[in-house]
Amino acid sequence: MTSAPGKDRLYVMQYPRDLLLDLHRRMLAIRLCEESLVEPILDGSIRCPVHLCSGQEAVAVGVCAALRQDDYVMGNHRSHGHFLAKGGRMEALVAEVFGKEGGCSRGRGGSMHLIDPSVGMLGSAPIVSGTISLALGAALAGKIRGDQRVAVSFFGDGATGEGVLYESLNFAALMHLPMLFVCENNLYATHMPIGDCRPACALSDIARPFGMESVCVEGNDVLAVLAVAQEAVAACREGRGPVFIEASTYRLRGHVGPDDNIQGTHTDIRPPEELARWRENDPITTFEARLVAEGAASDEELARMRGEVGREVEAAHAFAAQSPHPPAEELAAHLFKHD
Ligand SMILES: Cc1ncc(C[n+]2csc(CCOP(=O)(O)OP(=O)(O)O)c2C)c(N)n1
């Protein structure tokens, strides 16, 4: 698996219409849900740090669409998309971000601690690279049990500077684990351009010394991601894993919060022309255009879908609003304590 099938353009009509619309709806759900958080972040009603993944939806949706519900996913600090794409409930996500009892971590974790084991979303955490070894453990457990489950670790390009990634690549390759290493290369780690912290080499190359299959895919093209992920998942189920996937993408919002305006100082140093170029390559609007141009959906259908998803987002906010804050006397409950 050395080249990306996505490089040769995939025509939408090669796919069942239901699948196409489902992929689109899932990307839209992530986008509209995230954008609904912008105002509450800015007016201070959301108190936890929030890393929006607007612009990166096609990676989460394309990969998760290739998985079974009982496959495992672990995310990082930017995981709203991973959570929703794996089937996590939107109301549990929104309530969590607002720190409410009805949230998926009962309001204790906030945006960076998303979990729903019932759909295989094993968790997310802010320590860069911290969850890679946990996904590795899930893959090892699957291999020992022989249950054909695949484990996916989503991480950013910044994680490629952490040693645990290389230890995990080595162990996964050594044990032929059913695991996908999915690197979402959005070109920046916080405000550090990738070119300033890595020698010029494709990130997918870092898996090669371990003898691992690796592939680089256009991460804003949901069909290209799906094709690569399906092939990689099949390889894992047949015992030919692990596989490393580098998905090139871009975040359309700031590193944290909508615009990185931290304490009155605008810290997003990305060139406006670069942002404008990537806005043109928005995974959702470009897919919408393809669906219409190739006759898979009409403008009216897509507008109706947008309305339905918008109402789902409103319902998630209504759920979060009526959910109580965790009681103060329970603040220390559920914490690890060493006596
Ligand atoms: C071990 C560790 N070091 C540093 C940080 C601070 N930090 C938070 S996010 C981040 C950058 C992450 O970049 P990347 O992995 O590319 O993900 P992206 O934010 O681009 O999605 C850093 C350095 C951290 N959370 N954990």
Side-chain angles (χ1 to χ4, degrees):
M1 198 188 299
T2 49
S3 68
K7 294 270 188 259
D8 307 316
R9 187 171 162 85
L10 297 161
Y11 288 96
V12 300
M13 295 317 282
Q14 292 168 237
Y15 293 84
R17 199 177 107 90
D18 286 354
L19 171 66
L20 295 168
L21 295 184
D22 188 56
L23 293 171
H24 187 55
R25 181 184 279 269
R26 282 169 192 271
M27 289 199 291
L28 212 47
I30 297 169
R31 175 70 58 90
L32 296 189
C33 182
E34 288 227 304
E35 292 298 312
S36 75
L37 302 175
V38 167
E39 273 314 307
I41 293 171
L42 292 175
D43 72 19
S45 34
I46 290 175
R47 310 298 291 270
C48 66
V50 180
H51 301 77
L52 299 170
C53 70
S54 286
Q56 304 188 186
E57 296 87 350
V59 186
V61 169
V63 169
C64 290
L67 299 176
R68 299 194 313 225
Q69 179 161 330
D70 65 349
D71 287 325
Y72 300 121
V73 159
M74 293 219 68
N76 58 358
H77 53 286
R78 196 181 301 287
S79 270
H80 298 171
H82 309 141
F83 179 86
L84 291 176
K86 193 65 180 69
R89 287 181 306 121
M90 192 189 290
E91 58 185 25
L93 167 65
V94 174
E96 189 56 43
V97 174
F98 277 92
K100 297 297 192 75
E101 187 74 34
C104 59
S105 297
R106 297 184 58 194
R108 271 78 167 173
S111 162
M112 295 190 282
H113 296 93
L114 304 177
I115 182 164
D116 186 348
S118 72
V119 294
M121 177 70 198
L122 290 192
S124 64
I127 308 300
V128 171
S129 268
T131 51
I132 298 176
S133 58
L134 304 182
L136 184 84
L140 178 61
K143 165 121 179 165
I144 291 169
R145 285 194 301 256
D147 59 14
Q148 295 275 303
R149 287 183 184 179
V150 173
V152 178
S153 172
F154 285 105
F155 52 89
D157 45 285
T160 63
E162 297 286 342
V164 66
L165 170 62
Y166 300 88
E167 296 173 49
S168 301
L169 289 169
N170 186 61
F171 189 76
L174 192 66
M175 301 294 285
H176 304 290
L177 295 187
M179 175 160 177
L180 306 192
F181 291 84
V182 180
C183 179
E184 296 179 89
N185 183 2
N186 64 12
L187 304 176
Y188 293 84
T190 321
H191 309 110
M192 171 88 86
I194 188 156
D196 287 2
C197 59
R198 289 195 62 81
C201 73
L203 290 183
S204 55
D205 283 349
I206 66 177
R208 294 194 199 283
F210 302 97
M212 193 181 295
E213 294 282 359
S214 66
V215 59
C216 190
V217 65
E218 161 59 61
N220 279 16
D221 178 342
V222 70
L223 293 181
V225 177
L226 175 66
V228 160
Q230 282 173 330
E231 204 182 320
V233 166
C236 286
R237 296 215 205 281
E238 289 161 18
R240 293 184 286 111
V243 179
F244 187 102
I245 297 174
E246 176 194 352
S248 56
T249 186
Y250 199 78
R251 58 174 159 74
L252 295 175
R253 291 290 192 174
H255 167 69
V256 56
D259 60 359
D260 269 340
N261 191 353
I262 298 169
Q263 292 171 338
T265 310
H266 194 72
T267 53
D268 193 341
I269 46 92
R270 298 177 304 169
E273 319 77 63
E274 182 180 284
L275 255 159
R277 251 195 337 272
W278 281 93
R279 278 206 189 91
E280 291 288 300
N281 190 22
D282 182 313
I284 297 181
T285 52
T286 53
F287 194 54
E288 248 167 5
R290 284 169 73 182
L291 290 175
V292 173
E294 296 179 43
S298 66
D299 285 323
E300 294 71 36
E301 273 176 302
L302 295 180
R304 201 161 48 241
M305 186 190 287
R306 205 171 258 274
E308 285 162 11
V309 174
R311 283 189 288 283
E312 191 189 339
V313 172
E314 280 169 21
H317 278 264
F319 172 83
Q322 58 76 42
S323 179
H325 284 289
E329 60 276 16
E330 273 191 22
L331 264 183
H334 317 297
L335 296 180
F336 174 76
K337 268 194 292 211
H338 186 59
D339 296 322

